[in-house]
Amino acid sequence: MIPLSDLVEVGSFTKPHGLRGEMSAIFDSEEAIGAVEDARHLFVELDGLMVPFSILSYRPKGTETLLLTLKGIDTQDFASKLTNKPVYLEASLLPETAGEDGSFYLEDLVGFTIFTEDGPVGEITGYDDSTDNLLFEVRAKNGSEVLVPAVGDMITEIDEDARTVTMDLPGGLFSL
């Protein structure tokens, strides 16, 4: 069994496509879609276990979505059980992006401290990519949980060595 530390979340299933178990999945990046092309399996968490599914075929549907046929998923009912489930690939299939060209995977920033012009405001504890608007889940200095837009225009600097993200955020966001 592959350890969770060797896997990276790269997208999520959205819904079944058709009646024979084909799944629609949206991916976080072009690199993730490229990795699917090289992958023999993708992984889904079912009942607390990371379950591998062999990729039988895939085809593009737009720029961020693939239609996937997976071994063992051959009915719409089974496919519907995967709706909204995250999709994982082996990390070794993905290029190392952190720091190379200034781009990061969202999971690379978990544990980083967010700074604004007023100083540190909280730690990134996770992210929410379930909508079109990406959000950082942040534990504020006062212990409250705050959702912060993970918008490129608001991020002014990422310091990988210091594990900090400097952002230009709307005033009062952390005082709500």
Side-chain angles (χ1 to χ4, degrees):
M1 177 152 27
I2 190 164
L4 184 58
S5 60
D6 290 349
L7 300 176
V8 174
E9 184 178 337
V10 294
S12 63
F13 289 115
T14 54
K15 61 183 179 177
H17 183 81
L19 301 174
R20 296 191 179 167
E22 189 173 41
M23 288 295 303
S24 177
I26 189 164
F27 290 88
D28 300 338
S29 66
E30 290 178 20
E31 291 83 8
I33 289 176
V36 169
E37 295 172 1
D38 296 332
R40 294 184 327 181
H41 301 88
L42 58 78
F43 296 81
V44 180
E45 184 178 351
L46 298 174
D47 297 326
L49 298 172
M50 296 308 286
V51 178
F53 287 94
S54 296
I55 301 169
L56 298 177
S57 67
Y58 62 89
R59 56 192 171 108
K61 180 184 176 192
T63 58
E64 299 174 334
T65 304
L66 292 177
L67 297 175
L68 298 161
T69 302
L70 305 174
K71 185 174 184 178
I73 301 175
D74 54 7
T75 67
Q76 184 180 19
D77 286 340
F78 190 172
S80 67
K81 293 177 183 175
L82 301 180
T83 299
N84 297 321
K85 293 261 187 198
V87 173
Y88 296 84
L89 290 174
E90 294 176 61
S92 61
L93 295 172
L94 295 163
E96 292 292 326
T97 62
E100 281 181 8
D101 60 359
S103 63
F104 287 80
Y105 291 117
L106 288 174
E107 57 266 13
D108 293 334
L109 300 177
V110 172
F112 279 45
T113 300
I114 292 182
F115 277 77
T116 66
E117 62 185 24
D118 298 326
V121 294
E123 178 183 333
I124 300 171
T125 58
Y127 58 91
D128 180 349
D129 61 356
S130 63
T131 67
D132 289 339
N133 301 316
L134 296 174
L135 300 167
F136 289 129
E137 297 168 351
V138 178
R139 184 176 40 252
K141 289 185 344 183
N142 67 6
S144 65
E145 295 293 324
V146 179
L147 294 175
V148 175
V151 179
D153 292 346
M154 292 183 169
I155 299 172
T156 57
E157 180 183 5
I158 297 175
D159 185 333
E160 186 177 5
D161 295 329
R163 296 184 52 80
T164 61
V165 177
T166 304
M167 298 185 75
D168 183 17
L169 297 172
L173 182 65
F174 282 86
S175 61
L176 297 175

